Amino acid sequence: IAEEANINLALLNYYFRSKEKLFTIIMHETLSGFVQKVTAILNDEKTSLQSKVELMSSTYIDLLLVEPEVPFFILTEIRNNPTILIEKLPVKQILHHTAFFKQHQQAVTEGKIKEPNPLHFLMNLVGLIVFPFVAGPMMKKIGNLKEAEFNQLMQERKKLVPVWIKAI
């Protein structure tokens, strides 16, 4: 790492103490950037709920194609330090005050969505996006897929997830 960054190893160790701590910092920065993008999508009052689903699907899959370790990092953090992750990434506060939640409630009121709890809606969306990446190694074996074929499958999924969410 020090060699690639063209810095002294002692300096790297002084500032980060270990590869794990450096990894954690990088992942938190990556997640923070992603949370900002998602917040912008969820808060955009000009886009419909369906458009938000399409943008979330596309944005999240693009991130995971570039950063496939993010789901494992999140799962590890949720398991080991759920409070710390929530404090560093205030997802709860962000989500509950978004146009997304308001639009979901409006769709429920209008009878367009039957499930009144927006968390079910969100869990279904995130699950459809994240699970293939978490189970990627197994899916590649089952489907006898090379990395490029798996990536193509995920590109197709960007269009399919919104269709499935709408059907749910």
Side-chain angles (χ1 to χ4, degrees), residues 37-44 52 56 95 98-100 103:
K37 286 181 189 175
V38 168
T39 301
I41 292 168
L42 296 179
N43 270 325
D44 187 352
K52 284 177 177 50
M56 282 283 296
L95 284 177
T98 60
F100 166 83
Q103 288 171 322

Side-chain angles (χ1 to χ4, degrees), residues 36-64:
Q36 288 174 351
K37 286 181 189 175
V38 168
T39 301
I41 292 168
L42 296 179
N43 270 325
D44 187 352
E45 295 191 17
K46 295 177 187 165
T47 59
S48 67
L49 191 59
Q50 181 66 23
S51 293
K52 284 177 177 50
V53 169
E54 291 166 6
L55 287 166
M56 282 283 296
S57 178
S58 180
T59 301
Y60 211 163
I61 288 173
D62 284 345
L63 168 76
L64 296 177

